[in-house]
Amino acid sequence: MEIWDDLKAKYPRLIPSTFGFQCHEGWIGILDAYFEVVDREMPLDAVYEVRQIKEKLGTLRIYDSSYGETLSSVSAVTDAHRLAEARSLHTCEYCGRRGRFRKRRGYLTVTCDDHAYQNGALAIPEEPEPRDYRQTADGWVVYDPDVDAFVPAEPPEWA
């Protein structure tokens, strides 16, 4: 899958043909995995509305809503939503390869080394590299891009 129209064609009940994505194509794979879960888990009679998908503060944001779903579908879609946003913190927004969270002229972005230079400026990696921590009922988890999952973690310093 390489272009937005391919994603819309694959999930016509979820993404209107007129929908406009506000991020680069490097995150199509992340969104494909997200919509695969939504498509599988949402009951056929549920109403799903995607309102906005964009890059914000360097990472992917998905704004959507659904009505008439079951409790199991809510849990699965919520988990997929969190995973999609966490994956974007480590995925080049231009090409989909492994990326680093960077800053270019005050603008936050995630790029691989090949796409760090854009619009006449180099994006410098942020140190330390940000991590996606989430608090759960059982404690803290953090996204580990090497295993592509949230793993148990100690609370972050800011908690």
Side-chain angles (χ1 to χ4, degrees), residues 47-133:
V47 176
Y48 176 83
E49 179 185 9
V50 60
R51 294 189 309 258
Q52 187 176 38
I53 295 177
K54 67 180 184 176
E55 175 276 325
K56 182 176 181 181
L57 299 175
T59 59
L60 180 66
R61 298 293 191 271
I62 302 168
Y63 301 99
D64 57 6
S65 59
S66 56
Y67 311 95
E69 68 277 9
T70 63
L71 186 57
S72 63
S73 69
V74 169
S75 178
V77 170
T78 298
D79 290 347
H81 187 259
R82 290 179 181 149
L83 191 57
E85 291 184 352
R87 285 174 173 154
S88 73
L89 185 59
H90 303 277
T91 304
C92 178
E93 62 183 297
Y94 295 96
C95 69
R97 293 186 313 215
R98 183 77 175 258
R100 292 273 323 263
F101 191 75
R102 303 169 191 259
K103 188 182 289 185
R104 178 188 305 111
R105 294 182 178 153
Y107 177 77
L108 301 173
T109 184
V110 179
T111 70
C112 63
D113 290 341
D114 291 344
H115 289 106
Y117 189 81
Q118 296 283 326
N119 304 316
L122 181 65
I124 307 300
E126 288 288 287
E127 298 293 344
E129 189 170 8
R131 306 287 306 272
D132 191 333
Y133 286 91

Side-chain angles (χ1 to χ4, degrees), residues 19-65:
F19 184 78
F21 293 86
Q22 298 170 318
C23 58
H24 292 285
E25 291 81 5
W27 289 339
I28 286 178
I30 293 171
L31 289 166
D32 184 26
Y34 170 71
F35 283 115
E36 180 180 346
V37 172
V38 175
D39 195 43
R40 180 184 66 238
E41 297 293 332
M42 293 293 294
L44 291 176
D45 60 343
V47 176
Y48 176 83
E49 179 185 9
V50 60
R51 294 189 309 258
Q52 187 176 38
I53 295 177
K54 67 180 184 176
E55 175 276 325
K56 182 176 181 181
L57 299 175
T59 59
L60 180 66
R61 298 293 191 271
I62 302 168
Y63 301 99
D64 57 6
S65 59

Side-chain angles (χ1 to χ4, degrees), residues 75 79 82 134-142 150-156:
S75 178
D79 290 347
R82 290 179 181 149
R134 307 282 174 135
Q135 191 168 18
T136 69
D138 299 325
W140 286 89
V141 295
V142 65
F150 283 96
V151 296
E154 294 297 318

